[in-house]
Amino acid sequence: MSYSQSMYKPNPVPKTAAIHDLSGFGRASLTSIIPILSTMGIQVCPVPTAILSTHTSDFKDYFFFDFTEHMEAFIKHWESLNIEFDAIYSGFLGSDKQVKIVREFIKSFRKKNQIIIVDPVLGDDGITYDTITENLVTQMKELVKHADVITPNVTEAALLLNEAPSISADQFSHNLIKDWLKRLSDLGPEMVIITSIPVPEHPKLSSVVAYDRTNEKFWQVQCTYIPAYFPGTGDIFTSVITGSLLKGDSLPIALDRSVQFVTQAIRASFGHNYPRREGVLLESVLDNLRAPIINASYEIF
Ligand code: PXL
């Protein structure tokens, strides 16, 4: 049989639905996710959860428009168009209702060879973010059951597992981390990535550790701790993981790419004197995403 274009339909540009808020100023959520994934050759189709004038970290009196009531109209129209997504990626969610809508979205658009990525944004440094209620934590536990990949930080991992979120750095033993990764995977996700894990014997390092259930492998990438807080780095990390997996990278290479990119972005920003709340100087490092990984530093954990 001769080659026929109508039979062979490679997808030159994978598509991801991105269920996140649009914050106009400050480089968080969609204003980071879209440029990162576009640079990596992925089409981003946003489903806005809320529209804000700025993100909420260190800004006051911001404009906030809750988009919850309109999300279902997006989904309905997209269903009528029979759009097929290679990935569905969700992050910060503002209400229990939004979590339910994401679950419905996944149900409607689930197909084979697709990655569902849930960044269960709930808190950091042992405490939940201002807008996160107990009910939202409960809903998030339900949502992660439907994900293939989740990317909690240590605080979020603890909350999802009903563990105390304010665990101290010296309690992070090898066995405890492996136990958490496995238990999170038992909830449903095939791949679990926990970020911002302190390395007790090296206070200048932090690590990202992951579990791949199919291959029964644990991976780790360590990075130098840079003492600067910039909002939005979690969104940058998970966007690069999403792009990397969609391009066919292995889990450890995706981890390396994400850790390296976040580190580059923070280093490119830290030496400049400007308000941290404006986020990292993303635009100055975006091109690095097109470079191959040359010095991979991942290890078996
Ligand atoms: O980057 C996380 C994030 C997402 N969305 C909003 C935020 C933040 C962090 O502050 O305020 C609205």
Side-chain angles (χ1 to χ4, degrees):
M1 201 188 306
S2 63
Y3 169 76
S4 148
Q5 259 205 316
S6 64
M7 286 169 59
Y8 178 62
K9 285 188 180 156
N11 189 355
V13 176
K15 277 189 199 69
T16 184
I19 311 172
H20 297 261
D21 61 271
L22 176 68
S23 295
F25 185 72
R27 298 188 185 92
S29 44
L30 284 172
T31 58
S32 298
I33 293 162
I34 295 172
I36 288 172
L37 285 163
S38 299
T39 304
M40 296 178 86
I42 313 293
Q43 180 189 359
V44 180
C45 310
V47 183
T49 54
I51 300 171
L52 297 88
S53 51
T54 66
H55 61 69
T56 62
S57 178
D58 215 13
F59 285 102
K60 287 198 185 80
D61 303 325
Y62 45 80
F63 169 77
F64 178 94
F65 179 79
D66 185 346
F67 208 67
T68 309
E69 297 307 319
H70 309 284
M71 289 170 71
E72 273 157 339
F74 259 62
I75 300 174
K76 252 197 182 150
H77 188 210
W78 285 4
E79 279 172 342
S80 77
L81 297 174
N82 294 318
I83 305 177
E84 296 202 341
F85 296 104
D86 302 281
I88 299 170
Y89 166 25
S90 76
F92 180 91
L93 297 169
S95 64
D96 316 350
K97 182 151 187 217
Q98 285 190 354
V99 185
K100 285 193 187 120
I101 294 172
V102 177
R103 283 171 61 188
E104 276 166 32
F105 189 96
I106 293 170
K107 221 162 129 193
S108 294
F109 290 93
R110 194 56 159 143
K111 66 167 189 114
K112 278 194 181 155
N113 297 323
Q114 180 187 53
I115 317 175
I116 311 282
I117 299 117
V118 172
D119 186 5
V121 179
L122 297 170
D124 204 0
D125 290 328
I127 47 172
T128 49
Y129 297 128
D130 281 352
T131 54
I132 306 297
T133 60
E134 219 169 282
N135 205 359
L136 203 131
V137 176
T138 307
Q139 288 293 330
M140 196 60 92
K141 285 180 194 159
E142 285 300 309
L143 179 60
V144 298
K145 292 181 183 170
H146 305 275
D148 301 312
V149 182
I150 58 170
T151 58
N153 60 32
V154 282
T155 303
E156 291 155 352
L159 289 165
L160 292 173
L161 292 172
N162 299 322
E163 297 282 351
S166 53
I167 180 167
S168 67
D170 55 356
Q171 287 174 286
F172 280 100
S173 68
H174 207 87
N175 284 345
L176 179 125
I177 297 165
K178 278 192 163 175
D179 175 64
W180 282 23
L181 286 165
K182 276 206 155 182
R183 282 166 56 205
L184 285 167
S185 177
D186 287 344
L187 298 176
E190 177 67 41
M191 293 182 191
V192 176
I193 302 169
I194 304 182
T195 61
S196 315
I197 300 181
V199 181
E201 58 284 16
H202 297 288
K204 291 204 161 162
L205 294 180
S206 86
S207 79
V208 172
V209 183
Y211 177 54
D212 169 353
R213 189 173 62 218
T214 305
N215 298 302
E216 285 191 53
K217 287 224 166 78
F218 293 89
W219 301 103
Q220 161 173 258
V221 176
Q222 290 197 333
C223 47
T224 312
Y225 173 73
I226 305 169
Y229 171 76
F230 289 94
T233 48
D235 296 326
I236 295 175
F237 178 86
T238 307
S239 300
V240 180
I241 291 283
T242 303
S244 213
L245 293 176
L246 279 173
K247 298 300 268 184
D249 284 340
S250 66
L251 175 61
I253 288 289
L255 295 178
D256 243 312
R257 200 181 276 289
S258 304
V259 168
Q260 288 187 19
F261 186 70
V262 172
T263 308
Q264 286 160 3
I266 294 175
R267 281 201 189 285
S269 313
F270 186 46
H272 290 286
N273 190 22
Y274 71 99
R276 296 281 174 260
R277 67 185 189 177
E278 292 181 23
V280 291
L281 301 178
L282 181 65
E283 299 76 8
S284 68
V285 288
L286 270 181
D287 277 350
N288 298 1
L289 288 168
R290 299 189 198 267
I293 286 281
I294 295 168
N295 292 312
S297 63
Y298 67 77
E299 302 163 305
I300 289 276
F301 182 69

